[in-house]
Amino acid sequence: MLRLHRRNMLQPVGSAVSRHLSTSCSPLPPTPLPHRREVHLWYIKPEEINDSSSQLKQYMDLLSPCEKKGVLSLSSERHQKNAILARTLTRTTLSRYCDGRVDPGSIKFKKGLYGKPEIMWQDGDNIIKPPLQFNLSHTSSLIACAVALENPIGIDVEENERQTVKSVLSVAKRYFTVSEVEYLAAVPYPDIQQKEFIQLWTLKEAYVKAIGRGFSGAPFKNFTIEMGSDKRAPKMHIEADSDCEGLADNCQFALMELNSSHVVAVCMERDQEISGDENNLLRLKVWRTIPFIEDELVSGTETVNYICGLS
Amino acid sequence: MASLSLTGSALSAPLSLSRPIKATNGASSFNSVSFFNHKTQRTGFPSLSCAAAKPETVDKVCEIVKKQLALADDATVTGESKFSDLGADSLDTVEIVMGLEEHFQISVEETSAQNIETVHDAAEMIEGIIENANK
């Protein structure tokens, strides 16, 4: 099992480190850009960062004034911590692809038409501006950021044992398409049906996030996702009676399990110029990170279990 | 079940007039709850009156939210509570909407819930849907 382990130790000494983190010199090791059909996934497990650590304070210093205000407006410390980590993960991840020349705290963001966050490179920046696409997802126990080159990407994470209050079939009947409900209804065992539902849910979420519409902008009843298998990627098609215009139908999907605890779905809009089945499987690299402290490449280990759609 | 057509001319003042667009609040709102909490430029909102929702509607929404999120009975959920703050993820959110639909006997279009941030917003939306259905 390949297990690359790079450590980037930082010894905090009061405010000196905060200033260091916010200067133009980033200590994050540069990462080569993903290939066109490759997805990079970086994730944080909030339990690995101490609640009241100076580390969290240093991460907070990376946030924009608006982001800080958003964090402080949350009422529970746990939500505040996760919000800080989510912003930190986004900023540090993106800066890794800028050859050490972009300070994570300096990155600016804008929102797409339906609210999807995008990088807003500043005019006059004399640095490289890689055409990075990214998307974030979090549960209380895992925060993940997916990165791709050029192609819009969406990611959704759920705890794989996640239970719904209502029956999964009732939720599916309300929100999913007829063929998806039929698929779920045919699953013989309740606990497997629960897992299949969660997997289908994350795939659909990943799609609406990839295309930048979100749930409200692309209601789930407008498109069907067919689950894949070992060698076959999930496929989607737009429903004949869809009243949602402009839905992309050229997306690739992948599904995996992380740490045996979370299911992760990724959706990437496909390259136009490549056609045929050879385009069907995505390549993936996954890192577990504690930004500025530790990065661990976990793809290729038992931490990442491919379900479908990945080569 | 009463159903709301978003393109109906029965809509009163669009949301943008009665509720100013707030400053963007960082990226996490889109990503964690892609249902609620992002402003869009779409038009065609449910009829939201500027008057506050009835207290009993707000209370009912609080009750349904608490039940879905398995919060303690004495947990603080009020009209001002934000869904993002309560830790509702996208699955919680759709189940909350299903609970609201069942209780109030309404149908909530996915698009009509996109600007709901607080419990009070949800209560107002519900009353708007009911009001429109009764016209």
Side-chain angles (χ1 to χ4, degrees):
Chain A
M1 299 288 181
L2 186 65
R3 209 172 167 90
L4 291 181
H5 194 103
R6 292 178 298 171
R7 282 183 167 269
N8 212 19
M9 296 304 292
L10 215 61
Q11 299 301 327
V13 182
S15 61
V17 175
S18 304
R19 281 203 299 278
H20 175 64
L21 284 180
S22 56
T23 60
S24 57
C25 179
S26 164
L28 292 162
T31 304
L33 293 169
H35 301 300
R36 284 302 288 270
R37 278 172 44 229
E38 192 176 54
V39 176
H40 285 186
L41 191 65
W42 297 80
Y43 72 90
I44 291 178
K45 288 164 74 173
E47 70 193 21
E48 293 184 348
I49 290 136
N50 244 329
D51 283 9
S52 48
S53 63
S54 57
Q55 194 61 54
L56 214 51
K57 166 91 181 47
Q58 288 157 21
Y59 290 157
M60 182 69 156
D61 283 342
L62 294 175
L63 272 52
S64 69
C66 183
E67 289 169 343
K68 282 178 184 161
K69 199 168 152 206
V71 165
L72 294 171
S73 75
L74 300 172
S75 57
S76 89
E77 277 191 16
R78 187 169 67 90
H79 289 155
Q80 286 191 1
K81 176 183 174 184
N82 281 12
I84 294 169
L85 293 178
R87 299 314 306 145
T88 299
L89 181 64
T90 306
R91 287 174 171 283
T92 54
T93 298
L94 294 172
S95 76
R96 293 174 191 275
Y97 297 97
C98 301
D99 214 23
R101 285 184 262 159
V102 171
D103 171 19
S106 68
I107 301 175
K108 300 244 184 296
F109 297 92
K110 59 182 177 180
K111 286 196 172 177
L113 188 61
Y114 291 85
K116 181 177 183 180
E118 297 165 3
I119 303 171
M120 188 165 67
W121 295 118
Q122 302 297 287
D123 284 338
D125 281 341
N126 60 345
I127 46 106
I128 46 165
K129 301 176 194 177
L132 294 172
Q133 295 280 343
F134 73 96
N135 195 227
L136 192 78
S137 178
H138 48 105
T139 66
S140 55
S141 47
L142 194 127
I143 303 168
C145 182
V147 178
L149 193 67
E150 305 243 15
N151 297 4
I153 186 150
I155 178 178
D156 195 51
V157 180
E158 281 294 346
E159 289 167 3
N160 59 6
E161 299 291 321
R162 168 71 193 261
Q163 300 295 313
T164 47
V165 173
K166 303 191 184 316
S167 81
V168 297
L169 274 184
S170 67
V171 180
K173 279 175 187 160
R174 171 64 182 82
Y175 289 103
F176 285 6
T177 63
V178 168
S179 36
E180 287 167 340
V181 173
E182 278 171 7
Y183 171 83
L184 285 172
V187 178
Y189 303 106
D191 53 345
I192 300 182
Q193 191 185 63
Q194 187 81 24
K195 285 198 161 165
E196 294 277 339
F197 170 81
I198 295 292
Q199 289 180 3
L200 198 45
W201 180 271
T202 55
L203 282 165
K204 290 174 82 81
E205 272 282 313
Y207 170 73
V208 301
K209 293 173 77 179
I211 65 173
R213 295 263 193 126
F215 187 97
S216 314
F220 281 7
K221 274 206 200 288
N222 288 293
F223 61 96
T224 287
I225 293 189
E226 245 177 75
M227 285 292 266
S229 66
D230 210 25
K231 293 290 169 232
R232 199 172 42 99
K235 290 190 298 192
M236 67 90 62
H237 67 262
I238 296 165
E239 289 290 297
D241 60 354
S242 159
D243 56 6
C244 205
E245 283 176 22
L247 291 183
D249 63 355
N250 62 339
C251 294
Q252 287 179 266
F253 293 88
L255 200 60
M256 74 204 84
E257 205 178 40
L258 258 186
N259 296 307
S260 306
S261 58
H262 290 81
V263 63
V264 179
V266 169
C267 172
M268 182 198 275
E269 285 198 36
R270 196 174 282 166
D271 281 342
Q272 294 302 333
E273 58 266 24
I274 305 172
S275 60
D277 280 342
E278 67 273 10
N279 198 31
N280 238 9
L281 300 178
L282 289 172
R283 278 154 47 199
L284 182 73
K285 279 192 173 153
V286 185
W287 289 264
R288 181 189 62 83
T289 179
I290 303 174
F292 305 110
I293 301 295
E294 189 175 303
D295 299 329
E296 185 189 355
L297 182 69
V298 296
S299 38
T301 74
E302 67 271 12
T303 299
V304 183
N305 177 31
Y306 291 177
I307 302 175
C308 54
L310 291 161
S311 69
Chain B
M1 291 248 257
S3 202
L4 176 72
S5 164
L6 289 178
T7 56
S9 56
L11 298 174
S12 61
L15 187 60
S16 56
L17 293 184
S18 60
R19 198 180 312 268
I21 303 296
K22 294 177 188 154
T24 58
N25 197 22
S28 59
S29 59
F30 173 89
N31 295 292
S32 61
V33 187
S34 64
F35 197 148
F36 293 161
N37 276 344
H38 61 267
K39 300 298 182 190
T40 76
Q41 290 147 38
R42 292 166 63 97
T43 54
F45 296 101
S47 163
L48 291 180
S49 61
C50 294
K54 298 187 205 118
E56 52 267 30
T57 311
V58 174
D59 285 346
K60 198 59 189 173
V61 177
C62 287
E63 188 189 309
I64 290 169
V65 168
K66 273 192 199 178
K67 187 173 155 197
Q68 173 60 39
L69 302 180
L71 302 174
D73 281 337
D74 59 350
T76 312
V77 180
T78 65
E80 299 314 304
S81 300
K82 286 188 183 174
F83 286 99
S84 59
D85 205 8
L86 296 169
D89 65 12
S90 55
L91 258 177
D92 288 315
T93 305
V94 300
E95 290 198 82
I96 289 170
V97 171
M98 283 172 73
L100 298 175
E101 287 180 327
E102 277 162 24
H103 178 81
F104 291 101
Q105 289 292 290
I106 54 173
S107 174
V108 178
E109 304 282 324
E110 281 86 317
T111 46
S112 61
Q114 63 202 355
N115 289 311
I116 306 298
E117 286 196 358
T118 65
V119 165
H120 190 265
D121 291 343
E124 276 190 337
M125 177 194 70
I126 290 162
E127 289 183 358
I129 293 173
I130 294 171
E131 191 188 311
N132 261 351
N134 290 337
K135 280 186 176 148

